[in-house]
Amino acid sequence: MKTNELVTAYITFGDGSGGKRRPILILGYNDEVIIAYRLTTKYINKSAKIKEHYYKMLDWSIAGLKTQSYIDTSVKQRLSRHLIGRQLEYIGEMTILDINGLSEFIRNKVRRS
């Protein structure tokens, strides 16, 4: 596991009613915690407010994803490495185009707020 990798992990729902396996982008990690952004394919029916937080991946196919995907930058997920254990499944890695694009997207988002 390394920064800018895309993996799947079991993510619990915010309301605690369960969860599902979903792709995430690894932002960083240590012995205790993995910091990640969730990925989604659901975009069209989202509100403008929610869409403001979604970075549209340009090289999603090269990164190993099967369909157009968006990185949800609204919340950094903190996942316990002890709970996840070896449940992470490798998908691929972000390209430099998307790494730079995401960085610029976040910088612009910070300026707007």
Side-chain angles (χ1 to χ4, degrees), residues 37 52-55 71-75 102 105-106 109:
Y37 281 140
E52 289 177 3
H53 300 283
Y54 283 12
Y55 169 74
I71 299 170
D72 180 355
T73 65
S74 63
V75 176
L102 178 60
F105 179 83
I106 291 169
K109 188 173 118 172

Side-chain angles (χ1 to χ4, degrees), residues 26-108:
I26 303 293
L27 300 174
Y29 57 92
N30 60 32
D31 290 340
E32 302 292 321
V33 177
I34 297 168
I35 307 297
Y37 281 140
R38 293 180 300 143
L39 274 67
T40 186
T41 58
K42 308 293 187 236
Y43 181 82
I44 298 296
N45 295 325
K46 299 291 182 183
S47 70
K49 185 78 171 160
I50 290 173
K51 288 179 180 179
E52 289 177 3
H53 300 283
Y54 283 12
Y55 169 74
K56 181 179 182 178
M57 292 184 70
L58 303 174
D59 287 341
W60 54 269
S61 179
I62 295 170
L65 298 165
K66 295 177 182 171
T67 187
Q68 175 67 66
S69 296
Y70 301 83
I71 299 170
D72 180 355
T73 65
S74 63
V75 176
K76 289 181 181 175
Q77 301 289 305
R78 297 178 56 84
L79 310 169
S80 168
R81 286 189 74 170
H82 301 294
L83 293 177
I84 290 178
R86 298 176 188 255
Q87 297 175 18
L88 300 178
E89 293 179 15
Y90 179 82
I91 297 171
E93 295 182 34
M94 294 252 294
T95 65
I96 194 70
L97 178 66
D98 277 323
I99 291 169
N100 291 336
L102 178 60
S103 293
E104 183 65 23
F105 179 83
I106 291 169
R107 275 194 299 276
N108 288 336

Side-chain angles (χ1 to χ4, degrees), residues 5-18:
E5 273 188 353
L6 303 173
V7 298
T8 60
Y10 184 83
I11 305 295
T12 55
F13 298 137
D15 63 5
S17 65

